[in-house]
Amino acid sequence: DLLPAAGTNILDLEIFSEAEELMGERFKSWAERYLQDTQDTLVRVDALCAERNLEEIRTAVHNLKSSSAMIG
């Protein structure tokens, strides 16, 4: 199963809180951009799956994984 179990916390709150503390006022706009970029990436990955473009899928999800690690 690719999805986490119901009730599983998929956000590392410690990393999230540290980022918020370090960035201060800039955190909100950074988080909003992350969410928009993530949505755009998922739409792109969906299209790439339809094209069966495995190399581009790999690149897109690798980038998403990296940016997600930064936000927690």
Side-chain angles (χ1 to χ4, degrees):
D1 212 14
L2 295 177
L3 298 175
T8 301
N9 190 357
I10 60 171
L11 181 66
D12 185 327
L13 295 177
E14 185 175 331
I15 292 173
F16 188 83
S17 294
E18 287 175 12
E20 185 176 24
E21 187 176 312
L22 287 171
M23 296 184 77
E25 294 295 318
R26 296 176 297 150
F27 181 78
K28 182 179 178 188
S29 64
W30 181 71
E32 288 171 349
R33 180 172 177 184
Y34 165 80
L35 292 173
Q36 182 61 55
D37 288 350
T38 297
Q39 182 178 351
D40 294 346
T41 298
L42 293 175
V43 168
R44 181 168 181 249
V45 167
D46 188 50
L48 291 168
C49 285
E51 297 170 11
R52 299 179 185 234
N53 188 336
L54 299 180
E55 186 60 32
E56 290 295 319
I57 293 168
R58 186 195 68 76
T59 299
V61 297
H62 176 76
N63 292 340
L64 179 57
K65 178 182 173 185
S66 297
S67 60
S68 295
M70 291 180 63
I71 202 162

